[in-house]
Amino acid sequence: MTNGDLARLSINQETIKQWSLPELAEGCAKAGIGKVGLWRAPVQAYGVERTARLLADAGLTVTSLCRGGFFTALDPSERARALDDNRAAIDEAAALPTDTLVLVSGGLPPGSRDLHGARERVADALAELGPYAAERGVRLAIEPLHPMYASDRCVVSTLTQALDLAERFPAEQVGVVVDTYHLWWDDRAPAQIARAGAGGRIHSFQLADWITPLPAGVLLGRGQLGDGSVDFRAFRRDVESAGFEGPIEVEIFNEALWARDGAEALAEVAARYVQHAC
């Protein structure tokens, strides 16, 4: 494995969650990995400006910030708070700096069964936030989540649905995330990846494997690359055929991976990336 193999690899902070931000910066730099994806809570805890200095000093590029979104509340005051929080997330992304804020749209409000209405509220939020983000050099990236999350976490379940929303707005404002964990099952995904590429809307490409049985709560069920059902090379061919030449971010939520030594876990992630996605 050479540094050339790792040139496009980005390590999402949650993949090596056992590490602090300084440990992540030092560990990635030592491993020859020049890119990281970040999450808001640990960045806020460490300090946004302090994080930006830390990563710049380590020679690392921030490929994305996760997450904004959660736009589907019915209560006007809740919606206003969500918009304010997303403006803050955009400002944080610009300060790090990264050009991509990942959005998880939000699930159905309690007692609601109106998926269409919930998606329209997502569109309303994008209309407000898109220009604000573009003024700060940040793109909003809608991430479709697997349908098992539609009720409580994300009413946008397919790349088709994500693009139907994104295409209402300029591509420099709103695009999509292609995440193998959420899309591997959908036989329409290759055509929709081509559609996204044609419009310049692939703003992030993320890798994790699908393994079963899923754990209780399902959130921490993402698998190490190569341990499950996803054909990573096929996804990479599709996104590259669609014109995507950006970073390839590994984002794995897995307690067994987090329980291991961080350097050992990072080395395995990098090796599996080269083995299965290059």
Side-chain angles (χ1 to χ4, degrees):
M1 182 168 61
T2 68
N3 285 352
D5 295 325
L6 304 180
R8 292 176 63 186
L9 173 61
S10 174
I11 298 295
N12 187 279
Q13 185 173 14
E14 286 290 287
T15 302
I16 316 293
K17 188 177 182 178
Q18 60 269 49
W19 268 353
S20 67
L21 267 165
E23 289 170 331
L24 180 71
E26 181 181 5
C28 285
K30 282 184 177 179
I33 297 168
K35 300 176 178 62
V36 293
L38 299 180
W39 278 67
R40 292 184 69 197
V43 167
Q44 289 169 347
Y46 192 76
V48 177
E49 299 296 339
R50 190 180 175 205
T51 299
R53 289 194 300 271
L54 171 74
L55 299 180
D57 289 346
L60 299 179
T61 299
V62 182
T63 56
S64 70
L65 179 64
C66 197
R67 65 186 182 243
F70 292 88
F71 300 127
T72 54
L74 290 165
D75 180 76
S77 62
E78 288 184 43
R79 289 180 56 73
R81 284 194 296 273
L83 289 170
D84 286 344
D85 184 60
N86 276 272
R87 292 185 190 98
I90 291 164
D91 292 342
E92 291 161 13
L96 283 169
T98 179
D99 64 0
T100 303
L101 176 65
V102 175
L103 303 180
V104 174
S105 297
L108 285 172
S112 174
R113 296 176 176 84
D114 183 7
L115 282 167
H116 175 74
R119 291 179 188 132
E120 286 303 305
R121 290 191 293 280
V122 174
D124 292 343
L126 293 170
E128 291 202 37
L129 295 170
Y132 184 90
E135 287 172 2
R136 288 151 182 82
V138 176
R139 308 174 300 179
L140 305 177
I142 305 168
E143 181 170 14
L145 268 57
H146 190 281
M148 66 182 173
Y149 298 110
S151 64
D152 65 342
R153 190 161 294 270
C154 188
V155 296
V156 179
S157 300
T158 66
L159 202 50
T160 303
Q161 292 166 355
L163 286 166
D164 286 348
L165 286 167
E167 287 172 352
R168 302 188 194 189
F169 309 99
E172 64 270 19
Q173 293 183 13
V174 185
V176 298
V177 180
V178 176
D179 186 321
T180 61
Y181 179 77
H182 295 298
L183 301 176
W184 73 274
W185 58 276
D186 188 352
D187 60 4
R188 298 165 296 178
Q192 295 306 305
I193 289 169
R195 172 187 169 190
R201 293 185 188 272
I202 303 176
H203 290 349
S204 179
F205 178 36
Q206 296 183 331
L207 309 183
D209 217 336
W210 180 276
I211 54 174
T212 49
L214 295 172
V218 305
L219 281 177
L220 306 185
R222 294 181 179 223
Q224 175 64 281
L225 308 189
D227 284 352
S229 306
V230 178
D231 185 342
F232 296 105
R233 286 198 179 92
F235 265 96
R236 182 166 178 170
R237 285 194 299 270
D238 287 341
V239 299
E240 290 179 348
S241 293
F244 180 79
E245 298 178 346
I248 303 173
E249 191 172 305
V250 176
E251 184 187 58
I252 301 171
F253 312 152
N254 187 293
E255 288 184 320
L257 193 64
W258 296 339
R260 295 170 58 185
D261 172 78
E264 177 187 288
L266 178 63
E268 182 179 279
V269 168
R272 293 291 192 94
Y273 165 81
V274 171
Q275 180 182 359
H276 296 286
C278 288

